[in-house]
Amino acid sequence: MTRWLGVALLPRADHLRSAIRVQQEVAGGHTLQPPLTPEGNLPHTTVFQGPFLDTLEPDVELDRIGGALSLPEEIRLHSTGVVYQPTGWVFLSLERPPLLEKLQDVVVGALAPHLDRDAFDTAKEVSRFTDNERTSYARYGYRYTGEAYTPHITLGRTEEQAAQALVRDAAARSSVPAAWIFDRLSFYVMGEHGAHAQTLVERALKRT
């Protein structure tokens, strides 16, 4: 049985609430899907996600990932703005420091053997992907790995022209914090548009 799962960084509680506020402010009178909430679709920064075989044990792998890196208690990532991403996505873009690149390398290395490659959507429209994104998708079934890694908090998805208009007006409509603080790693069940729909396992960044 294929399970659609992901590993993500979760914001500290106050920053989680800030992300929900930013989504609401950026959306204005439109609807960005899915709505972010403190209990359901959590604001998050995906490290890796995709279709996995039953051989994957989320609790075991998350402990292994945490033990493979020396992580601080908190990771602070500076915002680089609200950006549009084809097609119809509104992202709160974040910087990509070496620590985050190393974290993704460890996560991908641990989880890639469990990928259900037969579940990759080979008919997916990728014409608007960058070359690096196409390479990433073909290799891992996920658009943002390696050179294509694009740390972000997804603010939602909507109709194409509406998404572009929301991004153009975002600075006037919303006050976006200059930096975002993350203090947990989670293994989650993917929901609508890859949302963090259900937490399976959660661990503090720094192991005690």
Side-chain angles (χ1 to χ4, degrees):
M1 178 180 173
T2 302
R3 295 182 295 169
W4 291 84
L5 308 174
V7 172
L9 286 165
L10 293 181
R12 200 173 66 187
D14 54 337
H15 286 251
L16 186 146
R17 292 190 295 270
S18 292
I20 294 170
R21 172 187 58 78
V22 169
Q23 184 197 49
Q24 293 169 347
E25 291 175 350
V26 169
H30 290 80
T31 300
L32 285 170
Q33 294 292 342
L36 300 175
T37 70
E39 293 83 24
N41 294 319
L42 295 179
H44 66 285
T45 294
T46 296
V47 180
F48 186 59
Q49 65 180 25
F52 292 98
L53 301 165
D54 285 338
T55 55
L56 177 64
E57 299 180 61
D59 54 342
V60 172
E61 294 302 337
L62 200 61
D63 283 341
R64 184 174 297 161
I65 290 162
L69 284 168
S70 178
L71 294 172
E73 291 184 3
E74 297 179 334
I75 294 177
R76 177 184 294 265
L77 298 176
H78 290 281
S79 169
T80 57
V82 176
V83 301
Y84 162 79
Q85 180 77 345
T87 50
W89 294 97
V90 179
F91 285 176
L92 196 160
S93 183
L94 301 169
E95 64 178 329
R96 191 180 80 180
L99 177 61
L100 221 55
E101 294 177 354
K102 179 61 176 175
L103 175 60
Q104 190 187 63
D105 286 346
V106 169
V107 171
V108 172
L111 302 189
H114 302 283
L115 281 170
D116 183 354
R117 297 181 180 276
D118 290 338
F120 289 4
D121 183 3
T122 55
K124 187 177 182 68
E125 173 55 58
V126 297
S127 64
R128 298 184 66 183
F129 285 19
T130 67
D131 288 344
N132 286 332
E133 288 169 357
R134 279 191 288 272
T135 298
S136 174
Y137 189 80
R139 186 173 184 183
Y140 296 116
Y142 180 54
R143 184 175 178 177
Y144 305 112
T145 66
E147 290 301 315
Y149 186 27
T150 306
H152 63 276
I153 297 172
T154 300
L155 297 180
R157 196 176 194 187
T158 187
E159 186 272 328
E160 182 80 348
Q161 292 185 344
Q164 294 175 3
L166 292 180
V167 169
R168 284 196 301 268
D169 297 337
R173 186 176 281 140
S174 178
S175 175
V176 177
W180 295 82
I181 296 175
F182 299 83
D183 62 359
R184 293 160 291 155
L185 273 173
S186 76
F187 228 117
Y188 64 95
V189 176
M190 293 168 60
E192 180 187 10
H193 300 309
H196 192 296
Q198 178 188 351
T199 302
L200 294 176
V201 189
E202 183 179 305
R203 298 283 189 270
L205 288 182
K206 187 172 184 178
R207 300 183 63 167
T208 57

